[in-house]
Each structure stands twice: as C-alpha cells, then as structure tokens.
Amino acid sequence: MFAGMLRRMVQRLVTDGDLTISWPDGVRERYGDATGTPVHLRITDAGLMKRLMQNPELALGEGYMEGGLTVDDDDLTGFLRLISRNVRKNGSGRFSAAAAGARTGLRRIAQHNPLSVAKRNVEVHYDLPTELYKLFLDQNLQYTCGYFREPDMDIDAAQIAKMDHIGKKLLIEPGMRVLDIGSGWGGLSIHLAKTFGAQVTGVTLSKEQLAEAERRAEAAGVADKTDFRLMDYRHLDGTFDRVVVVGMMEHVGQPQYPVFMNQISKVLAPDGVALVHTIGRTTPPGQTSPFIHKYIFPGGYIPAMSEVMSVVEKTDLLPTDIEVWRDHYIRTMQAWKALFEEHVDTVREMFDDRFVRMWRYYLTASEMSFSELGLVIFQFQLAHNQHAVPTNREYLYP
C-alpha cells in the first residue's frame, strides 16, 4: 500500500529533471522530464517506505544517514537540488504539507527554550570536540556566513571580511564595551578586541567553546581585553556600548524572541548600537526541518523578517539599517563541504560512518536551503537613538 502511494506522490512532485528510483521490490522507475544531469536513487530498506510517507523530510535524511537510501556516485548534492527545485515549483505534497503544518502548530512546544533546555540543546552540537570544527571551518573558527566582498576570496578572507564589516557597522572605537552574545570559539570577540580595540565580553553555554575561546584570546595577546563567560544571555547585567549577536538568534526559538530583544534593549547603552546577524527565511513564518531539529540543532528555528520586526516594534529599539546577504552562505557552505570531504577519513576515525553521512546530509541540505529554497542572511542594526549611526552607509566604505 505504502509503495504505491509513495510512487504516486513522487510522480506528482518530480516534474523537472531526470530522476530514476530503484525501489526495494526491484522495480525501477524514471521521473521528471529527462532534462539535466541524471540522478539515480536506490532505496534498499523496505521499512523506509512507510516513514517516507509519514514524514518525508525526516525519513529522507535518516534513510541516507542509516544507509538504506543511497545515490549513485554519492551525488547527494544533485539529488537534493533536483528535489528542492521541484518542491519550490510544485509544493511538497499533501502528506509533507500536513506534517509541516503540524510542526508549525506545535512549535511553541518544540522551541520552548528555558535555560536547562537551551544548555542541553547547545551541548548536542557545540560540545562536540573542537577538533571536528577545525577540520572544516576557517582559521578563526567562524561557524557563520562569510562575506565574499571580492569574487576570488577564500573562506579565511571572507570570514575576516565579515568580522570587519560587523566591526564597522557597530562603529566601534577603542575602549568601548562590547557584548558578544553567543561568542562561540571566540573568533569575533578576539577580532573586535585586536582590530578595533574593544573591551569584549563574550557569553556561551558551551564549555568546549569557552575553553577554546580563552586559549585563543591568550594566544592572540588580547586576554586582557576579553572576558568569556559560561552563562545564558538572559542572566546578563550591566551596560554595553555595543551588542553583537552573530549566528545565535537561530537558537533562541521564536517563543523567546520578546525576552531576547528586550534583553538586548536592557543592556544596550542609550547611545549604543546593536547588530543581530541571523539566517532568515524570505518566505512567511514556517518550521524547522525535522531532520535538523532531531539530529543537528534541536530547538533551532530560522525566522522570517516579519517575526523579528514585530518583536522589535514592541521594544524601545528601532532599526537603523537592515541588510540582506544573498549567495554568501552558498559559497560558505560549499567551502565547508569541500574541507569536510577533504578530511572525511579523519572525521570517520573520530566518530563513525553514520556520523559522516549525517553531517554530509546536513551540510548539503543546508546549501540547498540557501541556493534553492530562499534562505538568506539578515543583519539588523538597532539602536535606542536614531542618530546613533550615520544616515547613510558611506561610513562602511571609506
């Protein structure tokens, strides 16, 4: 029963491209209009059929991760690109849509993020050994989008350009007190201290990240200008001239947005400037991929601009600049994927083949989300005082 239903669903979904599926019963069928590079999907686990009907997004990732679903030549990128383009054109089908609708309705539960849950969610991903991230990130361990200001930039240069751009946007002057919420392995905090002369306080919930940040600050000669703390942003006190949040709002969870924005407002000086750099969706509010939620970023959510601004409007913060980055994360993900595959044997030795397939799927699906499904980067520059920043962007490009 499920086999027939699934085949009909695929037939309705895949109208573009050239997809061949070898089903568990030995039947081989071709879908699409035979254009583009052929992709051959093989499903050997008959138990996947029911799971693919019930929750296609989750079962697809799990099937690849577990090995019951493979792509010839391991062309996962080609397969997910083909599927993404057809989803964008034809929709995801009533079964997938029903599952997505249920996740949207339940997201206040899924994204409920009190301190104990937030700490546990962080540990799932960020307390993995730092050595893993060193294999595929840039030299400053920036686990967020690079800024490819020039077309020939590599990932190291693009991440430095990103940090420079943020520092300029914050109009940092030597000695200013800067708060870095979600400071990670310390790369941005160290750069703002070393390049702009700031006194930076960084907060994280990851013990692994905290230890690496302190080690890196010492090595960079800015230990006296940085103060890294293991704490939740909700427990912050004091006043800061500048507040920066890069790649952390995605972990806050939509129900906590009012608390999050009000906390930024509370700690930001009256003439201060804040910058929130986050992945954003160009579609209306939605839900997190069930695979990403279960295996990679539990409790995470990518906001629509309307969800951010409807909360900002209720604070005493006002937007002084909103910038949208397109394509930059595509190049970032491609660089990460290339380095991951370059060191895949080391990753396999550190973990196992299942972990390798899980992360390959995560990195590839993330790339497709930016290249095919409308994810971008939003940079929200915020202030209490509309005159806290210049009235044009010329100060960014002297």
Side-chain angles (χ1 to χ4, degrees), residues 253-265:
Q254 188 270 341
Q256 283 73 236
Y257 287 175
V259 172
F260 177 69
M261 285 298 177
N262 277 302
Q263 181 69 342
I264 291 176
S265 176

Side-chain angles (χ1 to χ4, degrees), residues 120-186:
R120 187 168 65 247
N121 289 345
V122 164
E123 289 170 350
V124 169
H125 197 81
Y126 294 106
D127 272 351
L128 291 171
T130 302
E131 295 308 310
L132 167 67
Y133 296 96
K134 288 180 179 179
L135 294 176
F136 71 94
L137 296 182
D138 66 296
Q139 60 187 356
N140 289 297
L141 291 185
Q142 292 292 284
Y143 198 21
T144 57
C145 179
Y147 184 46
F148 292 84
R149 193 181 63 236
E150 304 294 340
D152 59 346
M153 278 183 165
D154 62 14
I155 189 63
D156 286 315
Q159 293 292 10
I160 291 172
K162 183 267 298 292
M163 294 188 290
D164 283 340
H165 187 74
I166 288 171
K168 292 174 184 176
K169 240 179 177 179
L170 287 167
L171 297 119
I172 297 174
E173 297 177 3
M176 279 187 170
R177 298 158 299 168
V178 177
L179 172 64
D180 183 1
I181 299 178
S183 51
W185 296 279

Side-chain angles (χ1 to χ4, degrees), residues 86-377:
N86 279 279
V87 166
R88 188 179 61 192
K89 176 184 176 182
N90 299 320
S92 56
R94 64 186 179 91
F95 296 98
S96 183
R103 291 197 303 275
T104 299
L106 294 171
R107 69 179 182 174
R108 291 197 67 84
I109 298 173
Q111 296 175 31
H112 180 55
N113 210 8
L115 179 58
S116 59
V117 174
K119 189 174 185 298
R120 187 168 65 247
N121 289 345
V122 164
E123 289 170 350
V124 169
H125 197 81
Y126 294 106
D127 272 351
L128 291 171
T130 302
E131 295 308 310
L132 167 67
Y133 296 96
K134 288 180 179 179
L135 294 176
F136 71 94
L137 296 182
D138 66 296
Q139 60 187 356
N140 289 297
L141 291 185
Q142 292 292 284
Y143 198 21
T144 57
C145 179
Y147 184 46
F148 292 84
R149 193 181 63 236
E150 304 294 340
D152 59 346
M153 278 183 165
D154 62 14
I155 189 63
D156 286 315
Q159 293 292 10
I160 291 172
K162 183 267 298 292
M163 294 188 290
D164 283 340
H165 187 74
I166 288 171
K168 292 174 184 176
K169 240 179 177 179
L170 287 167
L171 297 119
I172 297 174
E173 297 177 3
M176 279 187 170
R177 298 158 299 168
V178 177
L179 172 64
D180 183 1
I181 299 178
S183 51
W185 296 279
L188 177 61
S189 294
I190 292 167
H191 187 81
L192 296 181
K194 192 169 185 177
T195 305
F196 293 86
Q199 291 286 338
V200 187
T201 299
V203 297
T204 177
L205 288 175
S206 167
K207 294 178 181 178
E208 188 81 16
Q209 288 186 329
L210 179 71
E212 180 69 14
E214 291 177 335
R215 186 194 69 76
R216 285 175 166 259
E218 186 71 36
V222 293
D224 59 329
K225 293 185 176 181
T226 55
D227 175 19
F228 293 105
R229 304 175 185 177
L230 190 69
M231 68 183 301
D232 190 273
Y233 71 91
R234 286 165 283 200
H235 294 163
L236 283 162
D237 286 316
T239 303
F240 297 86
D241 303 301
R242 302 290 186 261
V243 176
V244 62
V245 186
V246 178
M248 188 269 186
M249 191 172 182
E250 299 91 324
H251 303 288
V252 169
Q254 188 270 341
Q256 283 73 236
Y257 287 175
V259 172
F260 177 69
M261 285 298 177
N262 277 302
Q263 181 69 342
I264 291 176
S265 176
K266 172 188 167 186
V267 301
L268 184 64
D271 59 348
V273 180
L275 185 138
V276 178
H277 169 118
T278 180
I279 300 171
R281 62 181 75 227
T282 55
T283 58
Q287 60 283 317
T288 301
S289 155
F291 181 84
I292 298 297
H293 172 78
K294 183 174 181 178
Y295 293 101
I296 307 297
F297 295 121
Y301 175 68
I302 305 301
M305 186 178 290
S306 58
E307 293 177 292
V308 178
M309 292 312 301
S310 63
V311 174
V312 171
E313 290 165 0
K314 295 180 177 67
T315 71
D316 58 357
L317 295 169
L318 58 91
T320 50
D321 193 1
I322 299 175
E323 187 175 2
V324 181
W325 290 7
R326 296 154 290 109
D327 292 346
H328 295 274
Y329 227 138
I330 301 171
R331 291 187 61 182
T332 301
M333 296 302 309
Q334 290 170 344
W336 290 351
K337 279 174 55 184
L339 288 168
F340 181 84
E341 295 299 342
E342 183 180 325
H343 298 99
V344 71
D345 291 339
T346 303
V347 178
R348 192 175 285 111
E349 290 172 5
M350 292 173 65
F351 299 96
D352 56 23
D353 199 51
R354 182 180 183 273
F355 183 91
V356 166
R357 292 195 298 271
M358 176 175 71
W359 268 62
R360 182 181 290 136
Y361 189 89
Y362 148 57
L363 291 171
T364 305
S366 297
E367 179 192 349
M368 293 305 108
S369 294
F370 287 97
S371 64
E372 304 294 339
L373 298 176
L375 291 192
V376 295
I377 287 291

